[in-house]
Amino acid sequence: MVTRMAPRVSKLTFARNASSIGIGQQRPTLSWRYDQSDKTTNDWTQTAFELSFERDGKTSKRTINSENNVDVPWPEQEPPLRSREIVKVGVRAQGKDLNWTEWYYKTVEAGLLDPKDWSAKVVAPKVGGPPNLAKRPFYVAKTFKLGSASGPQRVYATALGVYELSINGKRVGDHVMAPGWQSYNHRLHYQTYEIPEGVLVSGENTIEALVGEGWYSGRLTWLENCRNIWGSEIGVQVQVEVGGKPVVVTDTDWQWRYGPLLASELYDGEVYDATIGYSDWQPTKTISLPAETALIAPEAPPIRRTEEVVPKALSTSPSGKKIIDFGQNLVGWVKIRQIPKQSRPNECIVLRFAEVLTKDGEMGIRPLRSAKVTDRIYLGDKAVHDWEPTFTTHGFRYCEVTGPPALLEKYQENLVAVVVHSDMERIGDFECSHELVNQLHRNVVWGLRGNFVGLPTDCPQRDERLGWTGDLQAFAPTAAFLYETNGFLANWLHDLSAEQLKQYDGVVPLVVPNTLDTFTGTGPPAQAVWGDVCVITPKDLHLAYGSTKILEEMWESMTSWFNKGIKRGANGLWENPRNGFQLSDWLDPRAPPDDPGNAMTDQFLVADAYLVGIANTIAEVAAILEKKDAREKYQQAHTKLRKAFQDEYLTPTGRLSSDTQTAYCLAFQFNLLDAQHIDGAAERLIRLARKEKFRIGTGFAGTPGILHALTQAGHLEVAYRMLQEKGCPSWLYPVSMGATTVWERWDSLLPSGEINPGEMTSFNHYALGAVANFLHTTVAGLKPLEPGYRRIAIQPRPGGSLTSASAHTTTPFGRAAVDWKLNDGKLSVDFEIPPNTTAVVNLGGKEEHVGSGIHRREVAWTREGEWPPEPYTTQFAQVQPENTLAL
Ligand code: BGC
């Protein structure tokens, strides 16, 4: 029986905010999803919705005839949110069969919307320590009296540095390293916390904050003693309110003191001394926020502890070190449940971290470069329970433990790894019948978790951990499928555009926040692929989440980059001076360990291919934003640049001047070929893949698109063959070497088992994991045809030796999923289309339009292409043994 009963409305959200408390907009847009898990809602589309607003004791309702459930404007007649206002918002929707859904309610609460709402100031120790050393964390506190006040109890807080808060000895909130890392000269997040019931008492209360240097003034980058990038004094700003009125705020009535923490540094780790008590309270002073800095209620979720991982094994290295293996390269720290009291003076526990072991079984710490990544705990005369560091994270799988033997006696109970990252909602996953491919996908997910910490970083372990723009540009579509990254990435893009437009005259910094020119004094160099993030990523977010807001917000950034930031030559392409340099196809497999940019593909061909691509994207964005003149302007620019690219790099028969996988990949990806070029280019690309015996030949620029390009070139079987390759370099090579995250280099660990000698060798870089997008969209066959998956393509393309695959993601409309199996020459596909969307289903070459619901189809299946495809060898060459390995 087919019903058209209404689905359930689920998850009402306000703008891109992860939380509904402390919203920073007066008129946040509203979005809701649908859940059809307990009902069949075949072919359900929304025709109208009703909103209710319960505020100031009154309820107003409005019905709107609209199919839209994503980014619905706050109704015009509804007054804007006031600072601190709490409104109960309800939504229900009507389908075309005129049935209504149940009401769904969510309470939204505004943050402090006006700078005048703050009476708190940033407090800091009156006398600071030496500015060029790591700053010792300190406490600031105040005891205050409270009458019998009633109403909501809130804390608003931020820091120049990082902080943790407690009231009457109880921790407030579960955030880690708040307020996170922003471009502090422009934007600073503040947090809104609900004070749990019973924490504040009538009478005397004490509020205390622990403050550390964090990113604001801690050591960053590999440059020598690069500290205090944004300021040399750290402090915290706290405002406690009851019933909408401040009851205590940071000012010079607060006092400060030191505690047992001697240091807590991002790269170097924490030093905790249990023998040291607290110093005497001392006077504070107030310091100012940077003049141009806006206090922002974050749309991005906070950093939190998200999982605990128990040790898998304990071993003794050849040199006698005790090493715990957590079985997973992860980011966070190790928590010790029981630290015994000291048995002799100066007794100490040292935890040292590494991602890999060297070939001879010692901690592989060379790739950490100058980062010490070590926690040190001096034992005191009392046992310590549940110790964990406060303002640092480490990227590690292995932990070397030195200390009293009791610590390791029951190590699986006493030590645990705590995983820490920005607490985004997990929305997507993938699985298939090929175990190594599954492990590759798990590695991609762990790479994302380890590097989405406050903002998207390149790596989580060495003296870097910076917001490299090119890495994110490559990985954003994959990330957006797996986690709800909308607020997280929009937030970072806002930092990016603030720096680009206010500081660098249109040039997008290589890393955001930009930490790299502080000491050299020069602005960032304009670099394609990296800087192009300001065009490509907003468009990717629009496609994944369906909101045009990010395009509006980034329009100026895109056009300034294109018109001012990019240095052009006479033909309009990138200026290519003698000794000109582009990072371009960074770290392709032929780049030598000590020269990562020395790639096979001409750097300027790559840069120019991206330039043509972004011209087209800007024209598309202009069309979406209904900017008619701009659309024409950028379309014309695109046509000219495309022609200039062809003149410069392409032969009439489709050969490119760099005869490489990346060059052809980009030609397909950015539509640089005319009809007469396509066969020639496709033939060349396939020849190159076969000639490389299906090893990968791409770096950061070509990797995201290479399997898509092979598929577009009409050779799905070659794409699968490359995906399934295990020899070095390939995606499955690291997996077959035991990797649990995606590596920075194709051979971060060499086939010999040695660590790559390059000084830049991380085992947790997400960029090359961009291949997961191919798994989601082509192998499983689930991709958006219209922004936000309003129209979905269901087109699994089985191939290789896979016999089944599945993927799902929670779209802005609800869950979309595909699950296919091959059996006896038949392809059976189960798929789920969320309410209020439609799908174009393409199976066995037949297209069908399908509405929402849970569906099943079975068709006869014919393999696309020959399996396995033959490598290209001359009669003189011998087939390499690894090419005959089972696929
Ligand atoms: C980072 C990268 C980055 C690159 C560009 C490296 O040190 O780890 O991932 O994109 O530099 O120069």
Side-chain angles (χ1 to χ4, degrees), residues 786-803:
E786 279 178 23
Y789 293 79
R790 184 171 262 291
R791 219 152 56 90
I792 304 174
I794 303 288
Q795 186 179 10
R797 307 273 298 263
S801 59
L802 272 60
T803 55

Side-chain angles (χ1 to χ4, degrees), residues 458-459 462 464 468 471 530 583 586 700 744 760 765:
D458 57 333
C459 61
R462 66 179 180 227
E464 202 153 345
W468 282 95
D471 305 43
W530 274 248
L583 294 162
W586 184 250
F700 276 31
E744 177 173 27
M760 209 191 63
H765 251 65

Side-chain angles (χ1 to χ4, degrees), residues 70-377:
V70 178
D71 248 358
V72 168
W74 186 267
E76 237 170 73
Q77 311 86 328
E78 194 60 38
L81 285 171
R82 301 185 300 267
S83 285
R84 311 173 176 91
E85 195 188 5
I86 300 175
V87 180
K88 186 169 164 193
V89 181
V91 60
R92 64 175 191 151
Q94 190 180 38
K96 62 183 175 214
D97 59 358
L98 304 184
N99 281 327
W100 284 91
T101 67
E102 299 290 311
W103 278 97
Y104 179 92
Y105 294 98
K106 183 95 196 173
T107 298
V108 62
E109 176 177 332
L112 301 183
L113 302 176
D114 186 335
K116 291 199 211 84
D117 293 325
W118 286 94
S119 33
K121 297 270 174 293
V122 182
V123 285
K126 197 157 194 176
V127 189
N132 286 328
L133 297 178
K135 285 166 200 60
R136 182 168 168 192
F138 59 83
Y139 293 87
V140 290
K142 179 166 173 173
T143 298
F144 61 101
K145 284 226 169 70
L146 202 63
S148 56
S150 64
Q153 303 184 342
R154 299 288 181 265
V155 184
Y156 304 94
T158 187
L160 297 177
V162 282
Y163 73 92
E164 270 188 20
L165 275 183
S166 61
I167 296 180
N168 298 331
K170 298 195 184 74
R171 176 83 201 268
V172 177
D174 54 1
H175 300 192
V176 170
M177 296 211 285
W181 187 9
Q182 293 97 48
S183 292
Y184 303 113
N185 286 335
H186 308 286
R187 309 166 71 248
L188 177 63
H189 289 172
Y190 71 88
Q191 285 66 46
T192 305
Y193 304 100
E194 245 178 304
I195 305 176
E197 192 114 347
V199 170
L200 280 176
V201 292
S202 66
E204 206 158 86
N205 294 274
T206 300
I207 178 160
E208 188 172 62
L210 175 60
V211 185
E213 56 184 10
W215 298 272
Y216 181 78
S217 75
R219 181 162 85 88
L220 285 175
T221 82
W222 56 91
L223 300 164
E224 207 173 315
N225 205 20
C226 183
R227 298 180 182 277
N228 304 322
I229 293 184
W230 288 275
S232 58
E233 288 185 302
I234 58 174
V236 65
Q237 174 167 316
V238 183
Q239 181 155 321
V240 180
E241 298 197 354
V242 175
K245 297 265 168 335
V247 293
V248 62
V249 303
T250 38
D251 56 22
T252 48
D253 279 353
W254 289 52
Q255 293 186 304
W256 78 273
R257 65 177 178 177
Y258 286 130
L261 273 183
L262 296 183
S264 198
E265 293 188 79
L266 294 167
Y267 294 166
D268 294 334
E270 183 149 311
V271 185
Y272 178 93
D273 191 340
T275 65
I276 297 186
Y278 291 83
S279 65
D280 292 338
W281 288 110
Q282 296 177 58
T284 57
K285 65 176 178 186
T286 58
I287 53 176
S288 314
L289 292 173
E292 305 292 315
T293 300
L295 274 182
I296 307 256
E299 293 178 286
I303 305 169
R304 288 199 177 98
R305 297 162 179 82
T306 61
E307 189 179 337
E308 294 197 342
V309 175
V310 289
K312 297 287 171 299
L314 170 65
S315 61
T316 306
S317 76
S319 69
K321 305 272 173 10
K322 299 287 180 206
I323 298 177
I324 291 183
D325 177 1
F326 284 93
Q328 174 62 52
N329 195 20
L330 55 85
V331 174
W333 54 68
V334 166
K335 169 158 116 182
I336 308 178
R337 296 198 199 278
Q338 290 288 347
I339 294 185
K341 56 186 184 187
Q342 63 169 223
S343 57
R344 54 180 169 75
N346 286 331
E347 196 178 16
C348 148
I349 297 169
V350 182
L351 306 177
R352 210 161 60 134
F353 299 88
E355 297 189 295
V356 286
L357 298 182
T358 61
K359 196 177 175 192
D360 41 15
E362 301 293 343
M363 295 286 281
I365 54 170
R366 181 182 53 80
L368 304 174
R369 304 196 302 214
S370 75
K372 295 197 188 77
V373 200
T374 303
D375 293 334
R376 193 178 291 271
I377 306 125

Side-chain angles (χ1 to χ4, degrees), residues 604-618:
F604 284 86
L605 181 152
V606 173
D608 289 331
Y610 268 77
L611 178 60
V612 183
I614 65 163
N616 186 50
T617 304
I618 299 176

